[in-house]
Structure formats: structure tokens, C-alpha cells
Amino acid sequence: MSLCNNANMRTLNHPSRKSMTLSGVLYALSDPLRLSIIKSLAAQGEQPCGAFGLSVAKSTASHHFRVLREAGVIRMKPEGTQHINSLRREDLDSRFPGLLDAILQASGPV
Amino acid sequence: MSLCNNANMRTLNHPSRKSMTLSGVLYALSDPLRLSIIKSLAAQGEQPCGAFGLSVAKSTASHHFRVLREAGVIRMKPEGTQHINSLRREDLDSRFPGLLDAILQASGPV
DNA sequence: TCCTTTGTTCGATTATAATCGAACTATGAG
DNA sequence: CTCATAGTTCGATTATAATCGAACAAAGGA
């Protein structure tokens, strides 16, 4: 029972601009590992999950990418066998002006 | 044993500017109730804990004020029987320029 | 001195989140 | 088709955090 639940991987659920919440974004970025991911994305541009050199299990990394995606911070685009991640800069800037820049600046150099 | 542990209430531990962390601040502000507290402080200026009309138990409210204080977001000053809370605006602006303003703006009108 | 007000601390409970390994899925290469 | 790659999902475990009531503490008023 319940293989294949409805909100499954097939459709990679990204929130719309409007349904992003400030609390959700702040929470997503309050984790040092997730913050390091978005710093890297901001500095190097889009990258697949494997390119971050995260020192946690694959399943843990997958969890963190999901938190970022579901908060609206990143976009994940399937490309061949991998998922390309990118910052949702315009959406974030439009919904929460100045927030991403302030956080990136506060997070220091990569 | 262990009444009166050392980091006790007597000295209301506020982190120095330098020992504030971005993750800590983001985490503290990622909770809707705590966000509402700092919105109110930003809008009305300093206020005692009781003035926020929080709909949680006293002990829970006390917990949230502590999280904000220990992250460096607010200052708590004993004054008679109450504690006056204020935003640590200058410290935040100096350590994380633009962050507080971006968050307050994003959090909408009070 | 006793009482009220304001908030803290303690201990327990419940709820969320992080983490991992194992099994799985999808894609593309050989 | 078979295999390797890249990542997801599941289930379990552990760690953090939120919440409450009860007991406590400090300050000040009656």
C-alpha cells in the first residue's frame, strides 16, 4: 500500500512566489549546511547536488535540498541523471527585497 | 544538588556583537511568534514581556524571549519587577548590515 | 511583614528536525 | 539488456525545540 503517494518526486514541488513565507525562508537558511549551499550557488552559479562536497550521507543531503526547495530558496531542475540547483534570486528579491543580499553579505566570503 | 547553576538569571547573558552568529539570528527570527515580538519592538519601541499579548503560557513566552536574547536580537533590562525588552538595532546593523531592515520590511505591517 | 506583580527555572511531555543505511528509481552509457 | 551514476524515499534513531504547569525569586506596594 501507498507506493507512489501523490506529492512524489515526479513533479518536484516548487512553491509559487506568493506562497513563500518569511519564516520558511529564514528557517531554511538558519542551518549552516544549507547556508553553505546557497553561498556556493550564489558564488559559482547553478550546480548539481553532488558538486557541493557535503560531508553528510546522500539521504541527508537530499533532505536539505528539499528543505531549501520547499521554502522557495532554490530551484531543482532534472537534467539527465542529475538535478541542477539554482538560486531563485528574482523570486526572492521580489518577495523579500534585500533579504537574500543581506544574508549573503552577512555570511561572509565563500 | 545544582540549585544555582552558574549561567543563572542573575546576570542575563547577552552575547557580544562579535559572538552573534548569522545562523543563530536567522533561527531566532524564523519562528512566527518571535518574529511578531521583534516587529512589535521595531514599531512601538521597548516594552516589557507582558505587553505583547502573547497567547502562550508565561513559561513559553519566557523561553522565546530567551532565544531572542541569546541570539543577540534583543536586550533585556531588569526594571523593577519587570524586564524591558529592546531591539539591539545598532549591534545587528553593524554585524549584519541590512538584515534586520530586510526582515522587518518583509514581515509586513504590524 | 505579607501580598501582588512580573518573569524565571525546573521537569515532563510532545512535536519537529537531523541523520543514517538500505532499498529504490530514472537516466544514460556501453 | 546490463551497469553505473545521481539522487530520492522509507523506516528507524537520535537530537532539538516547543509547550505547559508548578514552584520559585525579586521588587515594590499595602
Side-chain angles (χ1 to χ4, degrees):
Chain A
M1 53 304 276
S2 95
L3 300 187
C4 203
N5 60 41
N6 46 8
N8 225 343
M9 60 178 298
R10 213 69 291 248
T11 330
L12 239 11
N13 186 25
H14 292 81
S16 71
R17 213 177 252 202
K18 295 169 95 170
S19 61
M20 296 175 184
T21 67
L22 178 59
S23 289
V25 170
L26 294 180
Y27 179 76
L29 297 181
S30 73
D31 181 274
L33 191 138
R34 293 194 292 259
L35 193 55
S36 79
I37 291 175
I38 69 119
K39 279 174 66 170
S40 175
L41 286 177
Q44 345 263 37
E46 53 181 31
Q47 301 167 73
C49 302
F52 296 88
L54 303 178
S55 53
V56 290
K58 277 197 309 177
S59 49
T60 303
S62 187
H63 163 72
H64 287 297
F65 283 105
R66 175 147 66 130
V67 171
L68 287 169
R69 173 170 54 76
E70 292 183 341
V73 178
I74 66 172
R75 189 182 299 109
M76 300 180 74
K77 179 174 42 163
E79 189 118 328
T81 91
Q82 50 194 17
H83 282 171
I84 306 295
N85 303 283
S86 55
L87 267 181
R88 291 181 61 180
R89 255 199 180 285
E90 282 144 46
D91 291 325
L92 287 167
D93 288 347
S94 142
R95 184 90 168 76
F96 306 120
L99 182 62
L100 181 60
D101 284 336
I103 291 175
L104 288 172
Q105 198 201 319
S107 75
V110 187
Chain B
M1 55 301 276
S2 96
L3 299 188
C4 205
N5 60 42
N6 46 9
N8 224 342
M9 62 175 297
R10 213 66 294 241
T11 332
L12 239 11
N13 186 26
H14 292 81
S16 72
R17 216 179 250 200
K18 296 168 94 170
S19 61
M20 298 177 184
T21 67
L22 178 59
S23 289
V25 171
L26 294 181
Y27 178 75
L29 297 182
S30 71
D31 181 275
L33 191 138
R34 293 193 292 260
L35 193 56
S36 79
I37 291 174
I38 68 118
K39 281 175 65 170
S40 176
L41 287 176
Q44 345 263 39
E46 53 180 33
Q47 302 165 73
C49 301
F52 297 87
L54 303 178
S55 51
V56 289
K58 276 196 311 176
S59 50
T60 302
S62 187
H63 163 72
H64 287 296
F65 283 105
R66 175 147 67 130
V67 171
L68 288 168
R69 173 170 53 77
E70 291 183 343
V73 179
I74 65 171
R75 191 182 298 108
M76 298 180 74
K77 181 176 40 163
E79 188 118 330
T81 91
Q82 50 194 18
H83 282 171
I84 305 295
N85 302 284
S86 56
L87 266 181
R88 290 180 63 181
R89 256 198 180 284
E90 282 143 46
D91 292 325
L92 288 167
D93 288 347
S94 143
R95 185 91 167 77
F96 307 120
L99 183 62
L100 182 59
D101 283 336
I103 291 176
L104 287 173
Q105 197 200 320
S107 75
V110 188

